[in-house]
Amino acid sequence: MRFTELLEENMLLRWRAYYVNYRAMKVCIEEIEADPSSSNAHFIMMLKSNMLKALTFYEKTEYKLRQRIEQYIFNENRSPQSQKDLEHEVKDLRWYAYYNREAIRKIAKKYDKRCGKSKTMQSDLMETLHGSLMANAEKRCSSLLTALQEPDEGDLPLSQPLMQAERDEMRMHSRVLQPILERHTREGDESPTDVVRKPSTMSNISAPFELVKSVGASPEAAVSVALLVLCLLLDRLNLDTEPQLNSYSYFTLFVMLESLWLLLLQFQADVVLISATLVLRLSGAIDNDRDAWGGFSNSVVLSVAVLGIVSAGVHHTGVIDFIFMRVLGHPKTYFVALLRLSLPAMPLAASISNTCVMGVMIPVIEKWCKEINMPPRLFLMPMSYIMLVIGAFAIFSTSSNLVAQSLLLERGLEPFGNFEISPLSITCGLATLLYLAVAVPTLLYIEASESPTPSLSPKATASTKLFLANKLFLANIQITGTLLQGKSLAESGLLTHVGKVASIVRVERMGEEVALGGEVDENFELEQYDVLYIWSTVEAILELLGFSWVSLIALDGGFEHQHRDEGRELVEVVLDGLCPLVKEQLTSTTMLDNTYGANCLAIRPCSMQHFLKPEAQAEEVRTFVGLLRDPKKAYKFRIGDNLILDVPRNFAADYQNTTHFSLVRKLNEDEEDPSGKGGQGVGDAQYRDMTISGALLVMLIALVASNTMPLLEAALLSSFLMVLFGCLPQKKAFSAINLRIVLTIVGAFGIAKAVNRTNLAAVMARVICHLLAPFGCRGIYAGIFIATVGLGVVFHCTAVVSLLFPIVVAISESEDLPVPLHQAMAVLMMGATCQVLSPVSYQTNIMVFASGCYTFADFPRVGFGIVVLVGIISVGFVDQLLLD
């Protein structure tokens, strides 16, 4: 294992900010090696700063530890637990010294080998460090352990050999190191290591038993058993004898419920559903490969993948941005503003991916809101809801419609016409638009009443707009320069950047929290290497990056951020459901670094998206900081988390249209935008690409609408022409094909097949008909709609449609109360669009949740009215609005 990974793996979480930044110095050496004529001054300065930090931290920490050991020895009531804790801290300090000493030695050796002219830096530094306390940490810590294990109160062993003698020999490290490093300053495969891994505190032998114990006590198992019993009781309510459930039925039900529970726990949907289908196939619940994996050959499922290329092409050329900027204008009232925003959004959402449209709309809305002096939160959530509902306009408009169509074709049933559901979708969309125009100013302004402006109207003041637009992130900074040594917070100038004193939620000094009665005031004096956790805006964090006297500490690695490399950029991202970071620990660099080559500089957890005032949520943020520093309760990434990442160049372009992130936005916009999207003008080449991509999109819709060409062939033709005419690079075209979405749909198809073949769908349909028969067909429709909306709160709409499809078909074929299949399916499809009760139920909701400063409760507060409206229209008028 390379030393970089070894060092990071064995870092103590609570001391991460005080370790030598080996990774950054190694990168600096590589830059010098690539350009031998360049100056090494930055590397020398970085090396000196890191050495001083490690030496100072060791000395002060050892001194405090010695004092505590002395108090323990002279205490008459010694506690065995106290002795154990002290021994543990001594061993931790010994490991700290060992790894930092090795880091200094190895980085000096690497410098000598790659770019040092004298080749003596390693020997010079190690000779200088030889007399330091940290260099003799093994001996000193061993004497501390001996004193703890064999205390001799009569001889007072700590007074002379352990406390005073060494303290008098402390050196001014900066003065000693300066001439050595100046000697090596100039203008302008790592060798094998003998470092041993720090032994694990967990026994390998006990690991299997712990796993069995955790599985046995898992809440998902108990929930699944409870739901299974409930379904069996419901089955007994039906007195008919046919069809019967068998062992495969019970096993399929169990697998389905376990899959739903795992999805609820935010496991990746494609893995869960494909695994469930595999289990059902191996067990015999699905008796042939066609039923299990037939989705791979389904033309409609393949169309879902190919349409991603069309959406990516339209997005890449900037035609959506171009359309919006010419339609929006400068409306004076909220209703007109919402109407103007909806005019281009609704047809675009009905023809291409609404996620793609929302990704373009967010920066457009934020810029537009500054011009019309209205807060963005009044538009972001409403547009997500409008595009969700109108997305059912055509069969090819949304993945849930395509899944329903493909399931009908798989069963040999009559498919929908391309626009058969359009009148129902348009009616629901217009009702949603009118509802939002009335409800949003009232419902969302209630939460804004805490702002400095008590009386709010659509013509909000600039101060109100800025307050509502502020998003607060948790970041970690360290005082690295001597400029602020001994200065108060007020004198340091930090408060002019981070905001109020309440924005500083925690201060650490040499690994320990500074006790100030729970608060930090303006007179608090700073010391070099103090670590401050701040809860502040993106703008403040970016400003701090430009100062040499403070360093931003990466939350996942504990290293000083060195944003010098021109090959890197800063981005803001929102984690989506298929991001591999979900459920990974924030404090581990492995996943972020290995997957993206990134570091997390700041985080805005999904549970704290609505935190706008540091003084109001200081305690909650402090609690979250405590979780960051506790290895037993380390925070794990969740869907909807908002992060600021330091990433390689072109990260934004590579991950803009993936399911890893629902939002990717570059923060350092100083470089030129090659696409021209960020500028006002449009070049001839870009105008040509926009024209071609827009024409190809219109051609696709016309071919499918007129039944001139099947959807798959039309989508393939449009995709091929977009690449051929240069609207989309070939590499981006292939990356736009979302295989994981295809796997998710295929897996859901397999479960749906098993539910149907094992009679589970027929039994559930019979129970539903038995319970809702007194209410007639409208009651059946209402039951389907409520079930779809309920499941859609936590599951993706494609999975909900796939799981409920066999039950809806069974209901339509029931002898008790048969209902027209297409009407029941239309209600199901409209219910699938009502994923408006949760900020994490759909990608566009996640995007606006992170961008609009909403609370979790804002979504059901606004969305419930939409569910009621769409439900009334769908259930009450589906037979009149569905085209024959």
Side-chain angles (χ1 to χ4, degrees):
M1 181 184 292
R2 288 184 174 274
F3 182 74
T4 306
E5 288 75 19
L6 186 68
L7 175 63
E8 293 174 2
E9 180 180 309
N10 288 282
M11 279 184 175
L12 296 169
L13 184 59
R14 66 185 187 278
W15 290 347
R16 273 189 168 184
Y18 307 98
Y19 278 80
V20 169
N21 194 345
Y22 183 83
R23 179 187 291 270
M25 289 191 289
K26 188 172 74 170
V27 171
C28 196
I29 288 176
E30 291 170 354
E31 293 174 355
I32 297 173
E33 186 182 21
D35 183 11
S37 63
S38 63
S39 172
N40 67 346
H42 180 76
F43 170 77
I44 296 296
M45 181 180 66
M46 192 188 307
L47 178 60
K48 177 183 176 182
S49 174
N50 277 272
M51 289 179 65
L52 290 175
K53 178 172 63 174
L55 291 167
T56 304
F57 178 80
Y58 177 86
E59 291 173 0
K60 292 190 175 183
T61 305
E62 185 195 310
Y63 177 73
K64 288 185 289 186
L65 191 54
R66 287 173 180 270
Q67 287 182 319
R68 291 173 55 196
I69 292 174
E70 186 178 45
Q71 293 172 2
Y72 168 79
I73 289 178
F74 289 109
N75 189 355
E76 295 181 359
N77 301 318
R78 297 175 191 159
S79 165
Q81 185 59 45
S82 298
Q83 179 180 340
K84 229 181 236 187
D85 293 341
L86 288 170
E87 288 178 356
H88 183 70
E89 291 193 39
V90 172
K91 292 176 182 177
D92 283 347
L93 185 61
R94 182 168 60 187
W95 279 112
Y96 170 86
Y98 175 75
Y99 281 107
N100 280 278
R101 189 172 62 248
E102 280 296 293
I104 294 170
R105 181 183 71 81
K106 283 183 171 292
I107 203 65
K109 178 181 178 181
K110 190 179 290 290
Y111 177 83
D112 284 339
K113 180 180 178 181
R114 295 193 175 186
C115 45
K117 294 183 178 179
S118 63
K119 308 295 183 184
T120 61
M121 177 178 281
Q122 180 186 1
S123 58
D124 289 347
L125 288 182
M126 298 315 294
E127 181 181 351
T128 304
L129 290 178
H130 182 71
S132 68
L133 302 186
M134 191 173 76
N136 297 292
E138 182 69 31
K139 177 181 176 182
R140 301 173 64 81
C141 290
S142 296
S143 63
L144 288 174
L145 290 173
T146 302
L148 275 170
Q149 295 164 0
E150 301 175 3
D152 186 358
E153 298 182 20
D155 294 337
L156 302 179
L158 292 181
S159 299
Q160 291 299 327
L162 297 182
M163 287 293 291
Q164 188 173 353
E166 301 290 355
R167 197 188 315 165
D168 295 338
E169 297 179 6
M170 284 187 179
R171 303 183 178 188
M172 296 296 293
H173 299 299
S174 179
R175 196 184 319 164
V176 175
L177 287 172
Q178 189 65 30
I180 296 174
L181 294 177
E182 284 180 354
R183 191 186 315 156
H184 292 274
T185 303
R186 60 181 173 83
E187 294 302 326
D189 302 314
E190 190 177 355
S191 59
T193 177
D194 56 353
V195 178
V196 294
R197 290 176 68 104
K198 185 175 179 180
S200 175
T201 56
M202 292 185 63
S203 171
N204 292 333
I205 298 178
S206 63
F209 298 100
E210 292 295 326
L211 179 61
V212 172
K213 182 179 177 182
S214 64
V215 172
S218 63
E220 58 264 32
V223 169
S224 298
V225 171
L227 290 174
L228 178 61
V229 172
L230 177 61
C231 289
L232 293 176
L233 290 175
L234 288 175
D235 176 51
R236 293 298 178 263
L237 292 176
N238 195 346
L239 302 179
D240 294 343
T241 57
E242 294 293 339
Q244 289 289 333
L245 295 178
N246 53 33
S247 58
Y248 285 131
S249 304
Y250 298 129
F251 182 72
T252 301
L253 179 59
F254 180 78
V255 170
M256 182 177 70
L257 295 175
E258 280 292 331
S259 300
L260 292 177
W261 182 258
L262 291 174
L263 291 175
L264 182 61
L265 295 179
Q266 297 187 353
F267 283 83
Q268 295 176 2
D270 56 335
V271 176
V272 171
L273 296 179
I274 284 289
S275 300
T277 299
L278 178 61
V279 169
L280 293 171
R281 176 68 183 99
L282 294 176
S283 67
I286 303 177
D287 57 5
N288 61 77
D289 288 337
R290 178 173 177 78
D291 286 347
W293 315 115
F296 284 112
S297 62
N298 188 298
S299 62
V300 183
V301 176
L302 296 177
S303 300
V304 174
V306 179
L307 284 171
I309 302 178
V310 179
S311 296
V314 174
H315 181 274
H316 181 74
T317 57
V319 64
I320 302 176
D321 193 353
F322 182 81
I323 292 172
F324 274 105
M325 294 308 295
R326 276 148 185 78
V327 173
L328 296 182
H330 292 78
K332 301 299 182 182
T333 64
Y334 175 69
F335 176 77
V336 175
L338 184 63
L339 186 62
R340 286 201 176 189
L341 194 59
S342 303
L343 285 176
M346 293 174 76
L348 285 170
S351 56
I352 60 174
S353 166
N354 49 19
T355 306
C356 169
V357 179
M358 182 55 72
V360 175
M361 284 178 60
I362 287 177
V364 171
I365 289 175
E366 291 177 345
K367 178 182 177 181
W368 180 56
C369 284
K370 291 179 182 179
E371 297 177 0
I372 65 174
N373 203 26
M374 293 187 189
R377 77 190 241 118
L378 293 181
F379 300 97
L380 292 173
M381 183 199 292
M383 292 317 302
S384 175
Y385 286 174
I386 289 172
M387 290 194 297
L388 272 169
V389 176
I390 204 65
F393 175 80
I395 290 301
F396 54 83
S397 297
T398 183
S399 58
S400 58
N401 284 7
L402 287 169
V403 168
Q405 183 82 322
S406 62
L407 287 169
L408 288 170
L409 293 171
E410 281 285 318
R411 290 285 295 271
L413 300 171
E414 182 184 355
F416 279 94
N418 283 320
F419 299 97
E420 186 173 342
I421 199 175
S422 297
L424 182 59
S425 175
I426 292 174
T427 304
C428 292
L430 292 176
T432 299
L433 176 62
L434 294 175
Y435 163 77
L436 290 171
V438 175
V440 166
T442 303
L443 297 177
L444 292 187
Y445 275 143
I446 293 175
E447 289 299 313
S449 61
E450 296 180 358
S451 68
T453 307
S455 177
L456 295 171
S457 67
K459 296 183 179 180
T461 64
S463 62
T464 303
K465 177 192 69 176
L466 292 175
F467 176 82
L468 291 174
N470 278 345
K471 297 192 300 184
L472 302 181
F473 287 78
L474 179 70
N476 192 2
I477 63 173
Q478 187 172 40
I479 309 298
T480 51
T482 58
L483 182 65
L484 302 185
Q485 176 73 30
K487 290 188 176 181
S488 68
L489 277 173
E491 296 170 339
S492 69
L494 275 176
L495 297 181
T496 61
H497 301 287
V498 302
K500 304 176 182 178
V501 176
S503 297
I504 302 174
V505 295
R506 183 186 178 101
V507 180
E508 289 181 7
R509 180 163 294 161
M510 292 301 162
E512 296 182 358
E513 182 176 9
V514 178
L516 293 171
E519 294 184 0
V520 178
D521 57 27
E522 294 183 354
N523 298 319
F524 173 72
E525 290 190 359
L526 299 169
E527 291 187 9
Q528 192 175 14
Y529 309 124
D530 279 353
V531 174
L532 283 65
Y533 287 89
I534 62 171
W535 183 245
S536 193
T537 62
V538 177
E539 291 74 17
I541 294 170
L542 295 179
E543 286 177 4
L544 291 174
L545 284 173
F547 299 127
S548 59
W549 34 269
V550 296
S551 293
L552 205 60
I553 304 294
L555 294 176
D556 61 313
F559 292 124
E560 298 175 30
H561 173 63
Q562 301 289 338
H563 190 66
R564 302 169 46 255
D565 188 358
E566 293 182 357
R568 299 186 70 82
E569 61 189 10
L570 295 178
V571 298
E572 177 189 350
V573 301
V574 179
L575 303 189
D576 206 346
L578 295 180
C579 180
L581 296 179
V582 174
K583 302 186 76 64
E584 291 290 331
Q585 288 188 0
L586 167 61
T587 52
S588 172
T589 60
T590 305
M591 182 61 73
L592 260 173
D593 186 34
N594 292 348
T595 308
Y596 306 110
N599 281 117
C600 180
L601 303 184
I603 184 172
R604 186 169 175 249
C606 62
S607 59
M608 303 192 316
Q609 299 283 12
H610 62 288
F611 285 10
L612 299 173
K613 302 179 72 175
E615 61 271 23
Q617 295 97 16
E619 192 58 40
E620 292 91 335
V621 179
R622 288 195 188 100
T623 302
F624 178 76
V625 170
L627 292 179
L628 291 182
R629 303 180 73 259
D630 188 346
K632 296 180 181 179
K633 302 178 181 178
Y635 180 78
K636 294 182 179 180
F637 289 116
R638 302 176 184 176
I639 297 174
D641 281 352
N642 205 175
L643 312 178
I644 295 177
L645 301 179
D646 168 35
V647 295
R649 183 74 66 178
N650 297 324
F651 173 92
D654 293 340
Y655 289 95
Q656 188 77 48
N657 298 311
T658 68
T659 53
H660 290 207
F661 307 103
S662 57
L663 176 68
V664 179
R665 179 163 48 196
K666 294 170 67 173
L667 296 178
N668 46 340
E669 294 291 353
D670 51 306
E671 66 273 2
E672 293 182 5
D673 185 359
S675 67
K677 294 177 189 178
Q680 294 294 329
V682 178
D684 293 339
Q686 187 190 356
Y687 186 80
R688 166 190 167 275
D689 290 344
M690 287 192 302
T691 304
I692 293 174
S693 64
L696 291 176
L697 177 61
V698 173
M699 180 195 74
L700 168 65
I701 298 173
L703 289 174
V704 176
S706 61
N707 292 320
T708 304
M709 190 178 292
L711 176 61
L712 177 59
E713 285 76 2
L716 283 169
L717 177 61
S718 299
S719 303
F720 175 78
L721 292 177
M722 280 198 177
V723 176
L724 181 65
F725 288 118
C727 298
L728 186 69
Q730 185 175 343
K731 181 180 177 181
K732 288 193 174 185
F734 280 107
S735 64
I737 299 175
N738 197 326
L739 179 61
R740 302 193 72 169
I741 290 292
V742 174
L743 292 175
T744 301
I745 297 173
V746 171
F749 276 19
I751 297 177
K753 284 284 186 181
V755 170
N756 181 66
R757 283 188 171 276
T758 58
N759 297 327
L760 198 55
V763 171
M764 289 183 175
R766 191 175 62 197
V767 172
I768 292 173
C769 289
H770 178 77
L771 295 175
L772 299 177
F775 303 98
C777 289
R778 304 294 182 196
I780 299 293
Y781 294 153
I784 294 172
F785 184 83
I786 293 171
T788 307
V789 172
L791 290 173
V793 173
V794 290
F795 308 125
H796 194 272
C797 55
T798 54
V800 176
V801 170
S802 299
L803 294 175
L804 291 182
F805 171 79
I807 300 173
V808 172
V809 172
I811 290 175
S812 69
E813 296 173 350
S814 172
E815 296 180 357
D816 296 335
L817 187 62
V819 296
L821 175 60
H822 275 208
Q823 292 183 19
M825 286 299 299
V827 173
L828 172 65
M829 292 155 71
M830 290 308 303
T833 67
C834 290
Q835 294 191 294
V836 296
L837 299 179
S838 167
V840 296
S841 58
Y842 196 74
Q843 290 93 328
T844 56
N845 289 356
I846 297 173
M847 295 165 74
V848 301
F849 184 37
S851 301
C853 298
Y854 298 105
T855 68
F856 194 100
D858 283 336
F859 285 81
R861 180 185 292 120
V862 177
F864 182 76
I866 296 175
V867 172
V868 172
L869 274 177
V870 174
I872 291 173
I873 295 171
S874 300
V875 172
F877 302 96
V878 64
D879 51 345
Q880 302 172 35
L881 293 175
L882 200 66
L883 294 176
D884 294 331

